[in-house]
């Protein structure tokens, strides 16, 4: 009896299945709770960094931690915007707002977790590939602004 094989990824059926998989929403694993609506908004944004089938439970737990850090960082940003970067001590000397250090600590932890589960800048963003990508992006922007003839060298 012949074993049924999965459809090829370059077939129409395979591409259709890939689109359906990408549209599927990723939910936090059992036991992980997001605090409020802002957490859910950030969760949906970050969960799209991978295809749903590529997420492991551990990576989703880490993603939930990243989401919580992001929400806390945004709340601290609002507080810092209100109170300012510099405060006055009891003696009247300017001091750095202590919320800045808390924010920096959260950012470091968030980035460390993101690196550990492999959530970084997406590969299709030309700025993140290499300097050739940046040059290509600059050329495309120049061509869009001035037309394709702007890319040709002109006689001096």
């Amino acid at each position: 009896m012949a074993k049924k094989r999965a459809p090829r990824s370059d077939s129409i059926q395979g591409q259709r299945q890939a689109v359906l998989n990408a549209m599927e929403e990723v939910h936090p694993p059992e036991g992980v709770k997001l605090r409020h609506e802002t957490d859910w908004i950030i969760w949906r944004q970050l969960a799209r960094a991978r295809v749903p089938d590529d997420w492991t439970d551990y990576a989703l737990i880490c993603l939930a931690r990243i989401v919580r850090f992001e929400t806390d960082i945004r709340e601290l940003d609002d507080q810092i915007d209100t109170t300012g970067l510099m405060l006055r001590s009891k003696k009247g000397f300017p001091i750095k707002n202590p919320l800045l250090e808390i924010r920096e600590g959260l950012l470091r932890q968030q980035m460390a977790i993101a690196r550990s589960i492999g959530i970084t800048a997406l590969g299709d963003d030309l700025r993140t590939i290499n300097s050739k990508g940046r040059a290509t992006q600059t050329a495309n922007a120049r061509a869009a602004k001035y037309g394709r003839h702007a890319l040709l060298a002109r006689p001096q």
Side-chain angles (χ1 to χ4, degrees), residues 12-103:
I12 292 174
Q13 186 180 15
Q15 291 175 356
R16 184 180 313 134
Q17 187 61 43
V19 168
L20 290 175
N21 289 345
M23 290 172 50
E24 184 180 319
E25 188 170 319
V26 178
H27 297 284
E30 198 173 322
V32 174
K33 295 189 186 329
L34 298 178
R35 296 176 289 190
H36 36 74
E37 186 57 32
T38 306
D39 286 352
W40 281 103
I41 292 169
I42 297 168
W43 173 271
R44 285 189 289 274
Q45 292 169 346
L46 294 179
R48 283 185 249 152
R50 293 185 186 168
V51 177
D53 293 340
D54 288 350
W55 286 105
T56 63
D57 281 346
Y58 174 74
L60 290 172
I61 291 168
C62 290
L63 182 66
R65 179 63 54 196
I66 291 170
V67 166
R68 288 177 144 229
F69 283 148
E70 182 63 28
T71 304
D72 292 344
I73 289 166
R74 290 180 184 190
E75 288 173 5
L76 282 171
D77 282 341
D78 291 342
Q79 291 176 9
I80 291 168
D81 289 343
T82 303
T83 59
L85 298 174
M86 300 299 286
L87 302 175
R88 294 262 177 215
S89 68
K90 291 180 183 178
K91 295 183 180 182
F93 296 109
I95 59 170
K96 183 174 148 182
N97 191 335
L99 295 176
L100 291 170
E101 289 187 29
I102 296 169
R103 182 178 168 274

